[in-house]
């Protein structure tokens, strides 16, 4: 079996907001990682699984590599950079441009220290009208890093994602099947539910608030009829933020709760009663104790 079955771990890395989570969701064919247009959406390493007759790919979606401004930021960057040493293939996502900034050069420097095959995925090609421009952008990146492969993709439009899977299998070693073929993630449902609530808050709230929120699931119980009762806290850093999250007459909190409940129900395949509360924990992103309580801790 193992001499015909390929398996291994693939890290998705890149700057914040380049579309790592969107691409991973397309590659596995199901939404597991949350997405939004705001940077630093992914905070923890999220593990998902793709299996077909060729083998099994375990994707690790990492937080965007950025200049950390607090302990949470440091934690996110450490998670992303630490993953590079543990995988069989690295998928580096960049945006289509010939301008290569300090952030990308820092990532290229990190990749220069590992012997792992690196595939460059130039995402968001649907935003470029002239195909020749894309070739120029790829050539600019070829100058700063030694890539095994370079692929233009559009995670949003699902363009070239199948080709991406083919290339990953090309570089994976032969090995065992780590998960059942039905498994798509090792994330506990509590964690997925918390992340979906945070996603809705990210999408609905003002620009400055989302970075300062966390979501904790206080309880998750199943009734005899299969329905789930979920109680969750949205944690923010300021009293003024609490007021905005709740909204006039509770309108914003209701909007967040309704959109999160619909998606959690879809994922769990059952009805859900979701209760949300808002709590203030000042400067929790610089508190190791709070960070640990909210699930941001090295495994």
């Amino acid at each position: 079996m193992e001499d015909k079955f390929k398996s291994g771990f693939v890290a998705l890395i890149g700057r914040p907001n380049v579309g790592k989570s969107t691409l991973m969701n397309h590659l596995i064919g199901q939404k597991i990682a949350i997405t939004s247009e705001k940077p630093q959406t992914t905070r923890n390493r999220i593990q998902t699984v793709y299996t077909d007759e060729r083998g099994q790919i375990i994707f690790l979606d990492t937080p965007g590599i950025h200049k950390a401004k607090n302990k949470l930021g440091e934690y996110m960057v450490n998670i992303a950079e630490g993953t590079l040493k543990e995988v069989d293939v690295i998928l580096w996502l960049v945006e289509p441009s010939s301008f290569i900034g300090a952030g990308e050069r820092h990532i290229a420097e990190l990749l220069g220290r590992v012997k792992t095959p690196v595939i460059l995925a130039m995402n968001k090609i649907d935003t470029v009208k002239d195909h020749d421009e894309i070739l120029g952008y790829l050539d600019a990146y070829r100058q700063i890093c030694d890539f095994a492969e370079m692929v233009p993709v559009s995670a949003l439009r699902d363009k070239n994602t199948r080709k991406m899977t083919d290339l990953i299998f090309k570089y994976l070693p032969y090995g065992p099947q780590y998960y059942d073929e039905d498994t798509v993630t090792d994330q506990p449902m509590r964690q997925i539910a918390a992340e979906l609530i945070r996603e809705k808050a990210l999408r609905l709230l003002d620009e400055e608030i989302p970075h300062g929120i966390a979501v904790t699931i206080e309880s998750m119980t199943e009734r005899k009829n299969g329905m789930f009762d979920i109680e969750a806290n949205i944690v923010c850093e300021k009293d003024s933020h609490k007021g905005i999250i709740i909204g006039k007459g509770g309108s914003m909190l209701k909007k967040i709760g309704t959109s999160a409940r619909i998606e959690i129900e879809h994922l769990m395949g059952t009805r859900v009663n979701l209760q949300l509360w808002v709590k203030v924990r000042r400067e929790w992103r610089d508190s190791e104790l709070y960070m640990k309580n909210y699930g941001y801790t090295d495994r």
Side-chain angles (χ1 to χ4, degrees), residues 10-28:
V10 177
L12 285 91
I13 67 160
R15 297 271 294 147
N17 215 27
V18 291
K20 296 184 295 297
S21 299
T22 304
L23 179 62
M24 186 181 71
N25 288 337
H26 274 296
L27 290 172
I28 63 167

Side-chain angles (χ1 to χ4, degrees), residues 38 205-212 237-238 241 244 285:
K38 296 184 174 76
L205 292 168
D206 290 340
E207 197 67 44
E208 81 278 6
I209 298 170
H211 294 307
E237 291 184 310
K238 297 178 181 177
H241 288 177
I244 295 168
R285 287 179 293 173

Side-chain angles (χ1 to χ4, degrees), residues 181-196:
E181 55 194 38
D182 296 333
T183 302
V184 289
T185 182
D186 69 341
Q187 303 295 103
M189 185 48 74
R190 289 173 77 104
Q191 192 171 336
I192 294 172
E195 285 290 270
L196 286 173

